Amino acid sequence: MADGPVAVTIGQRPEPVHTIAVYAFDGMAPFELGVVVEVFGLARPELSGLLAAPWYGLKVCADRPGTPLNAVGGFSMTARHGLDELAAADTVIVVAVPNTFSGEISPGLVAALRTAYERGARIVSICSGAFALAAAGLLDDREATTHWRYAELLQQRYPLVRVNPDVLYVDNGNVLTSAGSAAGIDLCLHLVRRDHGAKVANTVARRFVVPPHRDGGQAQFIEAAVKPVEEEDDGIARSMQWALDHLASPLTVAMLARAARMSDRSYLRHFTARNGTSPMRWVITQRIAASLPLLESPDGTVEEIATAVGFENAATFRHHFGRAMRTSPTAYRRTFGRGVA
């Protein structure tokens, strides 16, 4: 990884690079850090021709740069950058804190977060990183989330925070929080979607081999047991691909079950066990995801887009879009539309 962001030229004009700084510490689990590095630090030739602005510059920062940091799993790593550079970044991401239950948060990190926030940076947490944001006072009187295992503790320790333990992430504009581990992928893709649009975010998600947007919250995972993969799973995958190929058409559970060559009852059971949601909720999520690049285009009314992605009417589209995206299709188009008046 380079020591810092490198200037990027689009056409013949140099553009400033949006700097992402992520906090690393001794004893951290590497998954969440790896998510941030994968999304924001990886070279992305697949985005050639899609970007209207430069990709990100990534800096991994620590309290003591250059000092080896032990990671869970028996290896170590070294962060090249310190907290001054973290405080100066455009987006700051805290993926966790060293010991959630002890309540000990690095004073240097807290100070850097406050400095970054006061100068207008975007502040983001993944999993227990919300405790650092709360310690800096950045979650006071705001809705926030964290891993469901820590939600009650976060509420007890920081009573001014409105903790929502059910969602995958919460976007408060310049302060964003996500639930545990894999929800960090959802939030990072959301940041890409905000910065570069749905088409770019979908491309990144495809390389990540994950859906560009997941419906539902983390409540579905709290007591869920991991079930063995069965032979019918091939049929489930086949039905999902068939649904994506026919998204604009009316779809029912019976039709999906037929595509999977399963009975309706068996299909419902196996689909829910595999995906953590019902077939029709999954279809709604895919239709919303398909609507995003259409809303970013100046072509087509909301009514026409609703029909194009398979919703019965615009009212139904607006209802489901609002529940999933926490905004309306029109507001999304106004924010992310390219050349939309």
Side-chain angles (χ1 to χ4, degrees):
M1 185 184 299
D3 287 343
V6 177
V8 177
T9 299
I10 296 181
Q12 297 298 317
R13 182 168 57 91
E15 294 278 357
V17 174
H18 184 108
T19 305
I20 303 278
V22 59
Y23 179 68
F25 55 87
D26 192 62
M28 71 184 306
F31 179 82
E32 292 88 349
L33 177 64
V35 167
V36 174
V37 173
E38 176 86 6
V39 173
F40 301 111
L42 198 66
R44 296 205 169 270
E46 71 273 21
L47 297 180
S48 176
L50 293 179
L51 293 174
W55 198 239
Y56 306 92
L58 178 68
K59 292 184 177 182
V60 179
C61 304
D63 290 270
R64 293 184 297 277
T67 301
L69 303 171
N70 295 315
V72 173
F75 66 95
S76 64
M77 54 188 168
T78 302
R80 298 178 179 176
H81 306 282
L83 295 184
D84 287 346
E85 288 163 287
L86 183 139
D90 299 302
T91 294
V92 176
I93 303 179
V94 183
V95 297
V97 294
N99 190 329
T100 307
F101 295 101
S102 74
E104 297 176 5
I105 309 289
S106 161
L109 173 61
V110 170
L113 288 173
R114 288 173 177 160
T115 298
Y117 176 78
E118 288 167 2
R119 42 167 291 275
R122 183 168 58 185
I123 311 297
V124 179
S125 70
I126 297 173
C127 197
S128 65
F131 285 79
L133 274 60
L138 305 185
L139 300 183
D140 289 357
D141 300 317
R142 281 190 165 109
E143 183 182 346
T145 194
T146 186
H147 193 292
W148 57 264
R149 184 179 174 217
Y150 305 133
E152 185 176 352
L153 178 62
L154 181 65
Q155 187 67 83
Q156 291 174 353
R157 192 172 292 167
Y158 302 101
L160 294 180
V161 181
R162 300 195 304 273
V163 179
N164 185 342
D166 296 328
V167 296
L168 294 176
Y169 59 84
V170 175
D171 182 346
N172 284 304
N174 60 342
V175 178
L176 303 92
T177 54
S178 77
S181 297
I185 301 175
D186 296 281
L187 182 51
C188 288
L189 289 173
H190 175 68
L191 293 175
V192 173
R193 189 181 303 114
R194 271 182 47 170
D195 294 343
H196 296 282
K199 189 170 185 179
V200 170
N202 292 351
T203 302
V204 174
R206 191 176 302 114
R207 180 163 172 178
F208 230 115
V209 199
V210 296
H213 176 79
R214 286 195 295 165
D215 194 17
Q218 61 175 326
Q220 61 188 301
F221 303 108
I222 293 176
E223 299 296 340
V226 176
K227 295 182 171 57
V229 176
E230 302 182 18
E231 291 182 2
E232 287 87 348
D233 279 352
D234 287 339
I236 298 294
R238 183 170 56 251
S239 73
M240 292 168 75
Q241 184 58 56
W242 181 86
L244 292 174
D245 292 339
H246 297 83
L247 210 54
S249 304
L251 296 175
T252 65
V253 171
M255 294 166 70
L256 295 173
R258 263 199 314 276
R261 301 182 191 136
M262 298 166 65
S263 70
D264 293 6
R265 185 174 179 181
S266 179
Y267 181 77
L268 275 169
R269 183 173 70 254
H270 288 289
F271 188 101
T272 303
R274 175 170 176 171
N275 296 294
T277 189
S278 70
M280 297 318 297
R281 285 189 66 82
W282 177 83
V283 167
I284 289 169
T285 299
Q286 304 314 306
R287 284 175 167 158
I288 291 168
S291 76
L292 299 183
L294 300 180
L295 289 169
E296 293 178 11
S297 165
D299 301 323
T301 65
V302 170
E303 289 74 14
E304 289 169 340
I305 291 171
T307 300
V309 299
F311 285 104
E312 184 178 354
N313 52 55
T316 303
F317 175 42
R318 290 187 179 98
H319 169 74
H320 289 298
F321 193 96
R323 287 189 59 183
M325 303 297 291
R326 297 191 170 196
T327 189
S328 68
T330 301
Y332 180 92
R333 167 170 270 184
R334 190 162 50 244
T335 301
F336 297 108
R338 309 292 188 225
V340 180

